[in-house]
Amino acid sequence: MSSTPTDLDATGLVADVVRSSVVDGPGHRYVVFLQGCNFDCLACHNPQTIPGHAPLEGHRPRHRSVADLLDDIRTVAPLLRGITVSGGEPTQQWHFVRSLFGAIKADPVLGRLTCFVDSNGSCPNATWDALAPVLDGAMIDLKCLDPVRHRALTGQGNDEVLSSIRRLHELGRLHEVRLLLVEGHNDDPELVAATARWLADLQPTMRIVLIGLRTHGIRPTEPPLRETSAQVLDRTADTLRRAADFELQVI
C-alpha cells in the first residue's frame, strides 16, 4: 500500500545520513543517502549502495521511519537550509521520499526547509509528477548524452534521464544538471558540444555543475579510470560557456 505524503510511519532503507553538508545542494543541508540504485556506474563513489556489490566494513543499511528522521533533523534544524535525499538512487524509494518531504512541509518548525533530491534521473515522469508538490528542486546527473556511451558508463540507457530533465524543467523543479567528466568516456569535444546544444535548447540559462572525476573512493576498473585533468576540465567549460548563458559552476 502506498504511503501518504505525511505518513510518519513510512520507512525507507537508509544507507547513511550526514547532518551537515555544503556539497549536496544550496546551503547547509541534512542529507539522507538511500540504499539501492538502478545504475552500476564505473565512477560510482558509493558502490556499496548498489545491489550485488560487496558492502564496506561497517556499512549496515537499516530501515528508518519518517518520524525517526524528523527527530534527528530537529536536533540540527537551526543550522540547516534544507534536506537532500541522495543515494544510491532516491527515486527507487520515491514513496518514502514523498512521505518524508510531505512531513517536513507539514511540520511547523521544519516547514521552512527546502527539500531536494540528487538523482540519476532514471525513472518515469510519473515519479516526478508525484513528488512535485513536496519537491523544491532536483539535481540530475547526466552521465552522457550518447546512449551507447551512457550504457557503457552506467549499465543502462539514458532515455528516462533525458525525459526526466525535460519534465522537471516543465514542472519548474530542475535545480541543476550535473556533468561528471570521465576522460576517455564522455569528454570528446564533439559530444560535449552536442550536450551543450541539447541543454541550451531546453534552457539557455540552466544551472550546470561541471565535475572533474576524483578517483579516491571509487572501485577498481580495468583499465583504471583517470582523474580529470585541468586541461580537459577547462576545455569542456569553455565549450559550455560558448554554447549559452549557462550558470556554470566547475568543481
Side-chain angles (χ1 to χ4, degrees):
M1 183 175 184
S2 296
S3 53
T4 62
T6 55
D7 182 1
L8 296 178
D9 294 324
T11 60
L13 186 57
V14 176
D16 198 5
V17 299
V18 173
R19 291 179 175 84
S20 180
S21 168
V22 294
V23 296
D24 295 282
H28 282 269
R29 309 191 71 79
Y30 184 103
V31 187
V32 182
F33 294 90
L34 296 183
Q35 183 74 11
C37 189
N38 51 350
F39 279 7
D40 192 3
C41 296
L42 292 178
C44 182
H45 282 85
N46 296 307
Q48 70 277 5
T49 65
I50 304 172
H53 285 262
L56 294 176
E57 183 178 353
H59 178 70
R60 296 183 179 86
R62 62 190 181 99
H63 285 93
R64 298 187 65 174
S65 69
V66 169
D68 175 33
L69 286 172
L70 259 60
D71 285 344
D72 196 37
I73 292 168
R74 287 189 183 97
T75 65
V76 291
L79 306 175
L80 299 176
R81 182 174 171 186
I83 313 298
T84 296
V85 181
S86 185
E89 172 48 41
T91 62
Q92 294 285 284
Q93 300 185 57
W94 71 265
H95 289 91
F96 172 71
V97 176
R98 186 179 64 176
S99 294
L100 175 62
F101 286 176
I104 289 169
K105 297 296 185 186
D107 189 279
V109 175
L110 303 180
R112 66 174 182 82
L113 300 176
T114 58
C115 296
F116 278 58
V117 295
D118 184 352
S119 169
N120 65 28
S122 186
C123 66
N125 283 344
T127 298
W128 300 118
D129 293 342
L131 289 175
V134 293
L135 178 69
D136 293 297
M139 299 170 288
I140 303 297
D141 298 320
L142 177 54
K143 308 294 186 182
C144 191
L145 184 69
D146 178 78
V148 175
R149 298 189 214 187
H150 188 280
R151 188 173 293 275
L153 278 168
T154 69
Q156 300 292 336
N158 66 358
D159 286 348
E160 284 190 328
V161 180
L162 300 179
S163 180
S164 288
I165 293 172
R166 292 190 195 96
R167 184 59 181 152
L168 285 162
H169 172 65
E170 293 168 355
L171 292 168
R173 299 295 189 275
L174 183 63
H175 177 68
E176 68 189 23
V177 172
R178 296 182 169 186
L179 305 176
L180 173 66
L181 280 182
V182 184
E183 285 197 31
H185 292 269
N186 63 1
D187 63 319
D188 177 82
E190 291 187 6
L191 175 61
V192 171
T195 303
R197 289 192 298 270
W198 190 88
L199 293 169
D201 285 345
L202 187 64
Q203 183 184 344
T205 57
M206 180 183 297
R207 175 176 165 81
I208 296 176
V209 179
L210 182 62
I211 305 170
L213 175 66
R214 278 77 165 176
T215 57
H216 178 73
I218 68 172
R219 54 185 163 157
T221 61
E222 190 56 46
L225 298 179
R226 303 190 303 272
E227 295 209 349
T228 309
S229 68
Q231 180 182 12
V232 168
L233 204 59
D234 290 344
R235 182 188 69 204
T236 303
D238 287 343
T239 300
L240 291 168
R241 291 189 182 101
R242 288 195 300 269
D245 191 24
F246 294 127
E247 181 186 343
L248 181 63
Q249 179 183 6
V250 182
I251 58 176

